Amino acid sequence: METIPARRLFFRTLFAGVLISGGCGRGRGQDVQNGAGTTGTTGPDPENPSHETGQATNPCEDFSKLRSDDLQVRKNLGYESESPIPDRQCSNCNLYLPPKDEEKCGGCTLFKGPVYSTAYCTYWAPQV
């Protein structure tokens, strides 16, 4: 049986995650209602009741524009909103996308949706 070097395995897994998530983009600004993308939802989100009532919600936990397969990718990559390893957080990960102007949450190159800077996933990679 052939053994795969760790670096090659990492990149193979990384690119598989990108393909599963539908590309390299963060998924921001894509809204089904305006026809600019295919990642939004048009109905209320049962897991985010504030979306229905119009109450303010934490933007880092607003998954109302994600499809169920986008949420599954996050889950498969082991995303946790609070890192169990203090020195391994999204804020010091090479795959983290810092928040843009006036946004409170960052993003990730591996999956769509908002990301806490204090979060973690199993694909954490040190900044170079």
Side-chain angles (χ1 to χ4, degrees):
M1 184 167 143
E2 174 190 1
T3 59
I4 300 173
R7 183 176 175 172
R8 184 173 291 168
L9 181 60
F10 169 77
F11 283 111
R12 186 178 289 177
T13 307
L14 173 73
F15 291 122
V18 170
L19 290 175
I20 290 170
S21 68
C24 296
R26 289 171 71 175
R28 296 190 180 192
Q30 296 177 343
D31 189 357
V32 168
Q33 292 176 357
N34 70 13
T38 59
T39 60
T41 58
T42 56
D45 181 0
E47 295 192 24
N48 186 2
S50 62
H51 179 69
E52 224 175 290
T53 61
Q55 295 174 351
T57 182
N58 181 343
C60 295
E61 294 178 4
D62 181 10
F63 304 123
S64 61
K65 293 184 180 179
L66 298 179
R67 300 181 312 207
S68 61
D69 58 332
D70 294 330
L71 293 172
Q72 188 62 43
V73 169
R74 291 171 77 94
K75 183 178 177 182
N76 291 346
L77 295 175
Y79 176 80
E80 298 179 40
S81 59
E82 192 66 35
S83 177
I85 307 167
D87 60 340
R88 290 188 177 194
Q89 298 182 346
C90 290
S91 62
N92 64 2
C93 177
N94 197 40
L95 304 171
Y96 181 66
L97 301 168
K100 292 185 178 180
D101 302 326
E102 297 183 26
E103 291 182 353
K104 297 186 191 287
C105 309
C108 182
T109 60
L110 295 180
F111 54 84
K112 297 176 184 175
V115 173
Y116 281 107
S117 63
T118 58
Y120 169 83
C121 85
T122 55
Y123 289 86
W124 179 87
Q127 292 179 340
V128 242

